[in-house]
Amino acid sequence: MSAMIRGEAWIFGDDVDTDVIIPGPYLRTRDVRELACHAMEGIDPDFARKVRPGDVIVAGKNFGCGSSREQAPLALREAGVGCVVARSFARIFYRNAINVGLPVVEADVSCRQGDEVAVDFSAGTVTVGTVTFRGTRLPEFLLDILRDGGLVAHRRKEKMEKEGLL
Amino acid sequence: MAGYTLSEKIFSRASKKEVRAGEFVMADIDRAMVHDITGPLAVKGFYEIAGEDGAVWDPSRIVVLFDHQVPADSLAAAENHIMLRKFAKEQGILNYDIFEGVCHQVMPEKGHALPGDLVVGSDSHTCTYGALGAFSTGIGSTDMASVFATGKLWFMVPETLRLKAEGRLSRLVTSKDVVLRMIGDIGADGATYKACEFAGSAVSRMSVPERMTMANMAIEMGGKAGLVDPDETTYRYIEERVGSFNRKTVLHGDDDAVFDEKIWDVSDLPPQVAVPHNVDNVVAASELAGTKIDQVFLGSCTNGRFEDLALAAEVMRGEPLARGVRMVVIPASRTEYMKALRAGLVETFMEAGATVESPCCGPCMGGSFGLLGDGEVSLSTSNRNFQGRQGSPKARVYLSSPATAAAGAITGEITDPREI
């Protein structure tokens, strides 16, 4: 996965919980495309229809609080979200996002809905227009998981390396 | 050199080296739990990592059970159950299926979480078992897939925030009121990634079920875990349910360990309520007097134990439900249900007009039955009041103790239970 993501900003506030990212009634399905159709439905019913590949969510503090449902970052990733930038993240969501290959950057960014945003998740930077915001850089072992596209792909690669297949 | 917190000691044992808060560790997992909502994704991920003929690292350390959509409430739920049954059978894993109840009640009462254990569950309220002095935390399905395959998981050893409740709670004020007040004061992200250690004279006097209510809600302040240092109360709880265990090897935090501390005097604390749509939006129940209720939910991993049902029945004292109010009572486990049956509580609730369901999560996460429609108001003993959590995004969920919920059930509006 490339560490550079470019897209339009989608602005959300503080304490966006995983119940609004993917509401409970949709958790029966194992089909990620169906999950994607309902991404952010609890807070913005039009989001899944309007978001475009590579777009960036820019939010306040404690993004992804609440339930440990991994369907939340999966729904966002499948809907096309390229990266979530937030002032802070709830920790289970943060881990889950990395594990499913959805880049996350902890940074305090000021921008408006629809602004063009460029994120370099390896460096932990977010650029809006000519201004670059410096966020927290992930430890190298987590960046490796993201670069491989998530934990499952990362573990498979490790296994193949161990068995001399790669 | 400073001593070690309980969390640092558990991670030191689990990673076989002396570690401090802030260090990254690869730790051995003592117990892993999945349920019907997050289990299927974990199983799928496990087979992707381990291959179609892969075997889990240690079947005796995994527990499977179904509690969110039980008995199967849809064909999709039935298919998820079938998939998990097959996985458990093929791998030789203990599966409580739909029979025992809500995971966070069943795990401690069946002895799957003991003091000093490192436990992970693919559910955010896994922090509940910290009430017994375990380090217990919620993880996602892919982390769980990795645990199934390797028995290990990386952690950053968390810093400890000690939340002390001092004083004596007044009548009909409970551990739920204390933890709601704490969340209200420090905020929904006030303990992000921290180990929340509940202490103080009020906590020392609490039963394990009361402590479980507090540990359960550590995640609502962003906590990685919620712990109570094990004591005589802890040991008796375990011995009554599981039988003998070795008290001598139990880990305790050191007095000279490094941690942050916040102190509450709870002697004059009135009953508390969390107002929609945030758990940290907490006020005294009396400030909400007159707020009309459509449904009362008494249950969940937070407050669905026998002691919670007994307290609610005591407040209701044989009074019928207020006109127009529905009450859904769901004991958290089969064991707790049987206790309630024998004590005549089920009869009390049903005579009042309540419906009593078999053990499960019920309306708590809005993915099964007992849902709210547009504009409806729920007073609930569960742990989250997020928008849409119990059904319609246009419904409103207030969180309270079982005593306050019971008072609301018979008056039809939010009421300080001490005024009944």
Side-chain angles (χ1 to χ4, degrees):
Chain A
M1 182 192 289
S2 160
M4 287 302 294
I5 297 136
R6 284 171 205 281
E8 286 186 13
W10 288 78
I11 309 294
F12 292 95
D14 293 339
D15 301 319
V16 172
D17 61 72
T18 53
D19 275 81
V20 297
I21 297 173
I22 184 75
Y26 305 120
L27 297 180
R28 288 190 181 86
T29 184
R30 278 180 258 152
D31 179 354
V32 285
R33 278 162 305 180
E34 198 189 325
L35 291 174
C37 295
H38 302 287
M40 299 303 265
E41 191 175 293
I43 191 168
D44 179 358
D46 295 329
F47 179 85
R49 207 160 33 83
K50 291 186 178 163
V51 68
R52 286 186 309 207
D55 280 359
V56 174
I57 286 178
V58 179
K61 67 179 176 69
N62 205 24
F63 188 91
C65 61
S67 157
S68 66
R69 62 189 67 167
E70 197 163 294
Q71 289 91 337
L74 271 179
L76 295 180
R77 189 196 74 193
E78 285 303 304
V81 173
C83 181
V84 182
V85 176
R87 202 149 48 125
S88 67
F89 287 91
R91 305 323 288 188
I92 303 178
F93 179 90
Y94 195 68
R95 282 185 83 117
N96 286 347
I98 293 164
N99 286 343
V100 303
L102 172 69
V104 277
V105 173
E106 216 161 50
D108 196 352
V109 172
S110 68
C111 74
R112 284 169 306 189
Q113 176 73 31
D115 279 355
E116 281 293 329
V117 177
V119 182
D120 180 344
F121 71 75
S122 280
T125 58
V126 181
T127 305
V128 187
T130 56
V131 186
T132 295
F133 299 87
R134 233 160 242 300
T136 311
R137 193 176 174 275
L138 286 171
E140 202 57 37
F141 78 104
L142 292 181
L143 284 173
D144 281 343
I145 294 175
L146 267 183
R147 290 186 195 115
D148 288 344
L151 186 62
V152 167
H154 181 70
R155 287 264 181 271
R156 284 168 76 165
K157 195 175 136 197
E158 276 180 346
K159 196 168 171 232
M160 287 169 81
E161 279 169 353
K162 213 159 134 192
E163 290 162 5
L165 299 169
L166 212 68
Chain B
M1 205 173 72
Y4 289 82
T5 64
L6 177 54
S7 300
E8 286 170 334
K9 286 193 182 179
I10 294 173
F11 278 110
S12 294
R13 181 194 56 70
S15 61
K16 301 187 192 79
K17 59 177 181 180
E18 303 269 293
V19 294
R20 296 282 187 180
E23 288 183 49
F24 285 94
V25 297
M26 189 58 84
D28 292 330
I29 301 300
D30 295 308
R31 198 76 61 180
M33 182 280 300
V34 293
H35 59 56
D36 50 333
I37 294 288
T38 53
L41 269 178
V43 170
K44 183 169 163 277
F46 164 72
Y47 284 119
E48 282 171 14
I49 292 170
E52 278 174 32
D53 53 357
V56 297
W57 105 100
D58 184 349
S60 72
R61 291 181 181 274
I62 303 172
V63 176
V64 172
L65 54 70
F66 313 152
D67 56 4
H68 279 62
Q69 292 168 335
V70 300
D73 62 3
S74 58
L75 286 177
E79 281 167 17
N80 286 337
H81 295 177
I82 289 169
M83 179 216 195
L84 287 172
R85 276 185 198 114
K86 183 165 173 278
F87 168 72
K89 194 169 175 206
E90 285 174 0
Q91 298 282 342
I93 293 167
L94 174 63
N95 175 16
Y96 287 117
D97 209 286
I98 70 165
F99 304 119
E100 290 298 334
V102 180
C103 54
H104 305 315
Q105 178 58 25
V106 175
M107 289 291 283
E109 79 181 17
K110 298 283 185 195
H112 300 309
L114 293 172
D117 280 355
L118 177 58
V119 185
V120 292
S122 58
D123 187 285
S124 60
H125 292 107
T126 301
C127 50
T128 311
Y129 329 147
L132 295 171
F135 191 98
S136 184
T137 192
I139 61 173
S141 299
T142 300
D143 267 341
M144 187 57 83
S146 188
V147 170
F148 282 175
T150 65
K152 293 176 189 297
L153 196 64
W154 71 267
F155 293 88
M156 189 178 79
V157 180
E159 291 170 1
T160 290
L161 172 61
R162 187 172 286 183
L163 303 115
K164 284 178 99 169
E166 299 289 2
R168 208 171 269 276
L169 291 171
S170 54
R171 201 179 69 86
L172 301 181
V173 180
T174 70
S175 66
K176 179 66 161 292
D177 300 297
V178 175
V179 75
L180 283 176
R181 187 64 265 148
M182 288 173 168
I183 297 165
D185 288 345
I186 74 165
D189 64 345
T192 296
Y193 211 80
K194 293 201 165 115
C196 301
E197 216 172 280
F198 299 103
S201 57
V203 175
S204 296
R205 272 192 294 273
M206 284 176 192
S207 66
V208 168
E210 288 171 290
R211 294 172 182 181
M212 284 168 75
T213 302
M214 296 188 72
N216 175 272
M217 301 221 28
I219 181 73
E220 309 312 330
M221 45 185 123
K224 180 85 178 161
L227 300 103
V228 178
D229 210 286
D231 61 9
E232 188 61 33
T233 307
T234 319
Y235 307 147
R236 264 187 280 117
Y237 177 93
I238 296 167
E239 284 162 358
E240 280 165 16
R241 285 160 182 80
V242 187
S244 64
F245 85 111
N246 192 350
R247 292 179 176 211
K248 289 198 184 114
T249 58
V250 170
L251 298 174
H252 298 280
D254 294 329
D255 291 335
D256 59 345
V258 177
F259 51 82
D260 284 337
E261 186 171 84
K262 288 184 190 296
I263 303 173
W264 283 261
D265 179 356
V266 296
S267 299
D268 297 319
L269 184 76
Q272 304 285 307
V273 173
V275 177
H277 300 290
N278 296 97
V279 185
D280 59 0
N281 194 5
V282 179
V283 300
S286 57
E287 287 180 41
L288 299 165
T291 305
K292 297 269 183 239
I293 302 161
D294 296 294
Q295 178 166 292
V296 171
F297 170 41
L298 173 60
S300 84
C301 54
T302 318
N303 279 125
R305 286 171 273 279
F306 171 77
E307 293 78 2
D308 300 314
L309 305 186
L311 180 63
E314 183 194 323
V315 170
M316 291 171 75
R317 270 188 286 178
E319 291 285 316
L321 300 183
R323 188 186 283 270
V325 173
R326 316 183 289 274
M327 184 182 195
V328 180
V329 181
I330 311 185
S333 72
R334 190 172 66 86
T335 306
E336 299 300 287
Y337 198 130
M338 297 283 277
K339 282 195 247 173
L341 260 180
R342 290 191 191 110
L345 301 180
V346 172
E347 200 174 329
T348 305
F349 291 125
M350 293 193 71
E351 276 180 350
T355 62
V356 183
E357 301 287 339
S358 59
C360 66
C361 302
C364 176
M365 71 125 214
S368 196
F369 62 87
L371 305 185
L372 305 170
D374 287 1
E376 288 197 308
V377 173
S378 164
L379 181 59
S380 174
T381 65
S382 56
N383 41 45
R384 289 196 175 124
N385 59 353
F386 299 154
Q387 191 169 6
R389 176 76 181 181
Q390 291 187 12
S392 166
K394 290 177 184 155
R396 293 170 67 77
V397 179
Y398 292 83
L399 304 177
S400 78
S401 75
T404 306
I410 56 175
T411 61
E413 49 193 55
I414 295 178
T415 307
D416 185 326
R418 298 173 303 181
E419 286 166 18
I420 300 288

